[in-house]
Amino acid sequence: MAHLEQLKINNFRGFDSIEIDGFSKVNLFVGKNNSGKTSILEALFLMSGMPYTDLPSVINSFRGFGLEEDALKYLFYNMSYQNTPSFYGKFSDGNERWLELEAIAQKRKDIFSISTPQINGVKFSFSQNNSLQKETVKFSLIFNNNHTSLNDEAQESVSKAFNAIFIPANKNDIGIFSRLSEMILKKENNTILKTLQDTFGDRIIGITIVGDDVYFDMKDINSLVPINIMGEGIRRFLSIVTAISGKQMVFACIDEIENGLHYSAHKNLWKELLSVASQSDIQLFITTHNIEVLSSLKTVLEENFTSMQNDVSIFNVERTKKVGYMAYRYSYKGFMGALENEIEIRD
């Protein structure tokens, strides 16, 4: 499967423009707070998920925005509808993708209001090409009374969108239940159980789904224990592991990978991530601002996955005074040198 090599983003969230080159199989984004790391993952998710047009509301929900009338304005740079968000991706096989978002706005109901028009939808212009043909599709997403109506002119041939998953920084990953249920049905939960035991101790002897929740069978406890009692670290770990170990994915976007995890869990999480990446076509995009996450990655690459050292890239996202946003790429060698010399490559 071809991997993404280059990404260009214009007029999206806080970005006026940024271009990132040299993606590898495993990609980490570091940088100061509010440097746009999460927005890069969201741009990847939007572009990879076409033609599923509910994705703007999905990524807004990760940030706590609901379906309020003006929530879509946060997709636009400086919240100005004249700033049309656009995305471009180039892949290792020469394929390319383009996506452009256009606001569907209307005058506000209050005739005395002098504020900007109200946005009630987004029109998508999407195209892709390959060695055989170029496919172009246009469709729109309209919000009306908290419902979504779709005017879809998409060609059937474009419906085969990339499989992508987004693990947000917050703890509200409701997809964990369906992913784990599917793994249990396929009898794949023993692998997850072994990983949990290695990371959190052998008191965990079983994992199952009851209703809409995850329960653990614990040694010396007569009743099943709900995941909420086990702590947020296990929930976060399970959320990430089930996401990458379930259905075949092309992109996995993991925001603030360290959230809720004690540093002692980082090594085992990296082992699981790199193991899946080495055995599949999945491409990982991860944000972090935690030095222990980077140090654990360095250790695992040295001790367990030396063959993947050239498959890992670190991007430091910064806003410069002269040229605006930049993403400075560290190769494995550069990454090692930065850590060893305590060069600042994280918040």
Side-chain angles (χ1 to χ4, degrees):
M1 182 68 67
H3 284 169
L4 182 69
E5 292 185 332
Q6 181 186 61
L7 176 69
K8 295 180 182 180
I9 305 170
N10 291 295
N11 292 323
F12 177 65
R13 299 287 201 203
F15 288 127
D16 51 356
S17 67
I18 187 171
E19 180 176 338
I20 309 172
D21 287 297
F23 287 127
S24 302
K25 200 161 196 179
V26 180
N27 306 277
L28 274 81
F29 299 98
V30 300
K32 294 181 179 180
N33 288 334
N34 201 34
S35 62
K37 300 185 296 294
T38 299
S39 296
I40 292 172
L41 298 192
E42 292 173 333
L44 284 163
F45 192 60
L46 279 173
M47 189 184 67
S48 66
M50 288 294 99
Y52 297 112
T53 49
D54 62 339
L55 294 184
S57 59
V58 171
I59 63 171
N60 270 347
S61 71
F62 296 153
R63 294 183 181 248
F65 304 135
L67 294 179
E68 56 265 26
E69 289 180 334
D70 273 1
L72 291 174
K73 69 183 179 183
Y74 301 119
L75 300 172
F76 296 79
Y77 177 62
N78 283 346
M79 291 183 283
S80 171
Y81 307 150
Q82 284 69 45
N83 295 326
T84 301
S86 65
F87 314 89
Y88 166 79
K90 184 177 180 180
F91 296 82
S92 57
D93 60 358
N95 288 357
E96 296 173 288
R97 281 192 163 209
W98 295 264
L99 173 64
E100 186 174 285
L101 310 184
E102 179 185 343
I104 300 174
Q106 63 181 14
K107 292 184 178 179
R108 295 183 184 273
K109 297 177 181 178
D110 182 0
I111 61 174
F112 300 104
S113 174
I114 59 174
S115 59
T116 58
Q118 174 180 306
I119 181 172
N120 71 327
V122 174
K123 182 178 181 180
F124 295 77
S125 294
F126 170 74
S127 62
Q128 65 180 22
N129 72 4
N130 52 44
S131 58
L132 299 177
Q133 60 183 335
K134 181 174 181 179
E135 300 167 312
T136 303
V137 60
K138 294 182 179 180
F139 41 92
S140 59
L141 171 69
I142 306 295
F143 285 93
N144 183 15
N145 296 326
N146 291 341
H147 293 285
T148 303
S149 61
L150 182 63
N151 174 21
D152 193 348
E153 302 167 8
Q155 300 174 25
E156 186 176 341
S157 59
V158 184
S159 64
K160 45 182 184 292
F162 286 132
N163 291 322
I165 192 164
F166 194 112
I167 305 299
N170 61 40
K171 309 176 189 69
N172 300 320
D173 179 19
I174 60 175
I176 185 175
F177 310 122
S178 61
R179 296 196 300 269
L180 185 57
S181 295
E182 185 174 344
M183 296 185 74
I184 290 174
L185 287 173
K186 293 181 178 179
K187 297 185 178 181
E188 297 173 350
N189 52 310
N190 286 338
T191 301
I192 298 293
L193 177 60
K194 178 63 166 57
T195 303
L196 288 171
Q197 290 172 335
D198 290 343
T199 307
F200 298 100
D202 59 7
R203 286 197 66 205
I204 303 173
I205 58 177
I207 182 170
T208 189
I209 297 287
V210 179
D212 293 327
D213 212 347
V214 180
Y215 285 80
F216 291 88
D217 188 0
M218 303 293 294
K219 190 182 296 183
D220 301 325
I221 298 180
N222 294 329
S223 298
L224 294 177
V225 179
I227 191 172
N228 288 343
I229 299 297
M230 299 291 290
E232 65 181 59
I234 286 186
R235 176 184 286 273
R236 179 66 169 171
F237 193 93
L238 195 59
S239 174
I240 295 171
V241 171
T242 56
I244 64 169
S245 301
K247 294 181 179 179
Q248 182 65 39
M249 293 291 167
V250 175
F251 288 166
C253 301
I254 306 172
D255 195 20
E256 295 186 19
I257 190 172
E258 70 276 1
N259 271 12
L261 287 174
H262 190 264
Y263 73 89
S264 61
H266 295 166
K267 283 181 63 175
N268 280 340
L269 181 56
W270 277 123
K271 288 179 183 178
E272 189 68 19
L273 287 169
L274 294 179
S275 177
V276 171
S278 67
Q279 297 171 27
S280 69
D281 289 323
I282 195 171
Q283 196 172 11
L284 302 176
F285 299 91
I286 300 165
T287 71
T288 185
H289 51 75
N290 186 288
I291 192 64
E292 285 82 12
V293 168
L294 299 173
S295 297
S296 296
L297 173 59
K298 173 179 175 290
T299 299
V300 171
L301 286 171
E302 289 176 334
E303 296 179 353
N304 308 99
F305 290 89
T306 56
S307 63
M308 289 197 67
Q309 291 176 359
N310 293 327
D311 293 324
V312 176
S313 294
I314 316 291
F315 296 89
N316 188 16
V317 184
E318 291 186 6
R319 185 172 186 176
T320 65
K321 292 182 179 180
K322 291 185 177 180
V323 294
Y325 282 101
M326 296 289 293
Y328 298 98
R329 180 182 180 273
Y330 286 81
S331 64
Y332 173 75
K333 185 177 180 180
F335 164 57
M336 292 278 290
L339 283 180
E340 290 172 359
N341 293 291
E342 299 183 354
I343 297 173
E344 184 68 33
I345 60 172
R346 51 104 185 178
D347 183 22

